[in-house]
């Protein structure tokens, strides 16, 4: 079983990879020399995940509706298993996420990939979110009280 | 009763070929791309995802294109598509309190932490046709505030319910998986989970009319819009290959918390009760209607008189699904030649019998 720290950082990386578009992942893979080899253990497959909500937002769970999800499992050169789970139907993207998950488990590569792939992805998300929240803030209502005359 | 009717194959193939041409419309006008529908007809896409019960904006856009913009037909296409895919599992319950909020308003508390945030809304527009849209103008950029909203806005009700005058939603101790209508039939009495799933997939027009009927007095429950929020929520799945929950990405979601007056019962003190509505994407009217109906279907549980359609669980849940409803209504178009022939025979016999009785009565009167 993995250590808690390892799980936390793997979770964080997978979350960043899932939100990175396929072209960016392809580009990052091309920048690695020599080209990493890997075997596909479970070919990319598209299926459904039932999205659950909670009554009143915080109460008992219920089934809200499904979403499409694609997953893939690969084995890297050093034997590490890489797993990719991404929203949507892009099989190549799920495979690329699995490849990076396997590569990132190699301590010799982890820091370089963290700098080249994960950190930029997290930063892009942060910038997008800040932009959305700044636009939302511009639509916040400033109430003022009208004082009635004598 | 249906009988096999042969001989229509060529007519059907030709009809479908014509349909494809009609779908394309005037070839002199550029064809719509899926991306254009996804980006520029977003609310149509959102409704198809919600009632199709499948979050996938590209597929919903494709369904709308194929259905020539017919929403119920597009919803049907999405429901049919999902049956071709395997289920990987169920997500962890969404944490809507951690939503990246684009819009959040409350009609019951003016000064909510984080403020009233209007977001991209039709509210307060004048509903005048905008002819600049016909001229293909690009809109000016929306203003951006210097300070962004907080990363998350806590739910209004939880923050401002210090006196506990609004009922709390409680997570049951027993963590049995909720009922799933894609795998089991409706059963009565229907659990809240079953009702919420049914309503979430239910036809917006049907729920809107039912919600409206409660406001007009058919099962009145005095609603207030406690909170409406729209934004992005992260979906997480417990992945068997990993042994921990992995983030799949984010989905857009609308949520409505209705707060309703309640006089109290033998076991409950007078307090405000709640109704809940939610939809994929930006579906505020649907979420509000759903919340009204969720609350009205709690009438029996709260010891209220059940006297109106919106309070009748069987009536509501059996008629909310537009894919089922359109199927049964539209099946009337299929050949019913044999049924109708037998009905004709019956009517002719009844007429003959009636004529004979009348003749006999006339003869008797003449004597």
């Amino acid at each position: 079983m993995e250590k808690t720290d390892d799980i936390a950082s793997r979770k964080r990386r997978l979350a960043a990879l899932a939100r990175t578009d396929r072209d960016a992942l392809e580009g990052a893979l091309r920048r690695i020399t020599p080209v990493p080899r890997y075997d596909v253990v479970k070919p990319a497959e598209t299926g459904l995940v039932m999205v659950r909500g909670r009554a009143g937002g915080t109460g008992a769970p219920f089934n809200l509706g499904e979403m499409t999800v694609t997953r893939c499992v690969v084995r890297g050169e050093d034997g590490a298993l890489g797993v990719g789970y991404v929203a949507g139907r892009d099989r190549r993207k799920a495979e690329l996420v699995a490849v990076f998950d396997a590569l990132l488990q190699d301590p010799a590569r982890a820091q370089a990939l963290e700098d080249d792939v994960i950190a930029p992805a997290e930063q892009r998300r942060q910038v997008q979110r800040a932009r959305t929240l700044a636009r939302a803030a511009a639509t916040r209502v400033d109430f003022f009280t009208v004082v009635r005359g004598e | 009763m249906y009988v096999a009717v042969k001989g229509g194959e060529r007519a059907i193939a030709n009809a479908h070929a014509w349909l494809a041409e009609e779908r394309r419309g005037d070839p002199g006008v550029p064809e719509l791309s899926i991306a254009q529908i996804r980006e520029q007809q977003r609310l149509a896409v959102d409704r198809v995802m919600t009632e199709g019960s499948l979050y996938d904006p590209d597929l919903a856009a494709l369904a709308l294109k194929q259905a020539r913009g017919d929403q119920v037909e597009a919803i049907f296409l999405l429901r049919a598509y999902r049956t071709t895919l395997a289920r990987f599992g169920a997500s962890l319950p969404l944490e809507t309190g951690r939503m990246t909020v684009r819009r959040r308003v409350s009609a019951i508390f003016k000064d909510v932490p984080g403020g009233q945030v209007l977001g991209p809304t039709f509210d307060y527009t004048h509903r005048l046709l905008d002819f600049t849209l016909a001229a293909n103008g690009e809109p000016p950029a929306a203003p951006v505030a210097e300070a962004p909203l907080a990363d998350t806005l806590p739910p209004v009700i939880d923050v401002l319910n210090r006196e506990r005058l609004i009922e709390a939603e409680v997570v049951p101790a027993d963590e049995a998986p909720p009922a799933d209508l894609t795998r089991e039939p409706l059963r009565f009495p229907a659990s809240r989970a079953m009702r919420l799933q049914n309503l979430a997939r239910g036809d917006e027009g049907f729920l809107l009319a039912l919600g409206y009927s409660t406001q007009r007095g058919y099962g009145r429950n005095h609603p207030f819009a406690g909170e409406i929020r729209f934004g992005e929520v992260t979906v997480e799945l417990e992945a068997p290959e990993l042994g921990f929950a992995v983030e799949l990405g984010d989905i857009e979601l609308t949520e409505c918390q209705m707060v309703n007056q309640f006089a109290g019962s033998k076991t409950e003190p007078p307090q405000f009760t709640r109704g809940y509505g939610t939809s994929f994407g930006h579906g505020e009217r649907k979420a509000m209607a759903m919340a009204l109906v969720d609350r009205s279907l709690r009438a029996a549980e709260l010891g209220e008189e059940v006297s109106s359609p919106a309070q009748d669980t069987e009536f509501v849940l059996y008629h909310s699904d537009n894919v089922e409803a359109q199927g049964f209504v539209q099946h009337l178009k299929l050949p019913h030649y044999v049924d109708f022939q037998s009905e004709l025979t019956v009517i002719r016999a009844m007429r003959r019998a009636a004529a004979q009785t009348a003749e006999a009565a006339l003869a008797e009167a003449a004597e």
Side-chain angles (χ1 to χ4, degrees), chain A residues 1-2 7 10-11 14-15 18-19 42 45-71 73 83 85-89 101 125-126 129-141 143 145, chain B residues 53-56 58-59 81-82 85-91 93-94 100-102 110 114 116-119 143-145 147-149 151 158 169-172 178-180 196-197 234-237 239 241-242 244-245 247-248 250 253 255 257 274 276 278 280:
Chain A
M1 199 59 212
E2 293 164 274
I7 290 179
R10 194 170 175 198
K11 256 182 100 143
L14 282 169
R19 293 184 179 87
K42 246 170 45 178
E45 169 196 19
T46 298
L48 301 170
V49 166
M50 175 55 88
V51 180
R52 287 197 176 141
R54 288 188 182 280
T58 52
F62 72 97
N63 291 309
L64 167 58
E66 289 163 317
M67 67 188 284
T68 51
V69 171
T70 304
R71 69 179 173 195
V73 180
V83 179
Y85 267 90
V86 297
R89 288 167 294 119
D101 180 49
R125 185 174 180 222
Q126 211 43 51
R129 180 187 270 173
R131 190 174 149 71
T132 300
L133 292 172
R135 283 178 172 215
T139 68
R140 183 162 39 201
V141 180
F143 286 105
T145 309
Chain B
S53 206
L54 182 64
Y55 194 98
D56 188 316
D58 286 305
L59 284 182
Y81 174 82
R82 73 159 284 282
L85 297 179
R87 174 84 66 84
F88 291 164
S91 80
L94 297 175
T100 302
V101 164
R102 295 192 209 170
K110 180 164 71 71
Q116 306 276 353
V117 179
L118 300 182
V144 174
L149 287 185
D151 266 355
D158 294 344
E169 289 285 359
V170 185
V171 182
D180 185 355
L196 286 170
Q197 185 183 12
T234 297
V235 185
E236 287 185 86
L237 175 76
E241 298 89 344
L242 290 166
F244 57 82
E247 293 185 13
L248 305 171
D250 309 293
L253 194 84
E255 188 182 46
Q257 307 271 4
R274 292 165 68 169
Y276 184 68
T278 184
F280 285 149

Side-chain angles (χ1 to χ4, degrees), chain B residues 2 15 25 41 48 61 120 131 135 138 199 223 226 231 235 241 284 299 317 342 357:
Chain B
Y2 318 106
Q41 294 292 304
V48 170
F131 289 97
E138 287 294 324
L199 298 177
V235 185
E241 298 89 344
E284 214 159 290
L317 300 190
S342 73
T357 314

Side-chain angles (χ1 to χ4, degrees), chain B residues 17 31 64 74-75 95 111 174 179 212 216 218-219 249 275 281 357 359 363:
Chain B
E31 189 184 347
L64 277 164
I75 289 159
E95 294 195 48
D111 296 312
D174 135 54
Y212 181 41
R216 293 195 63 258
Y218 292 85
T357 314
E359 260 173 47

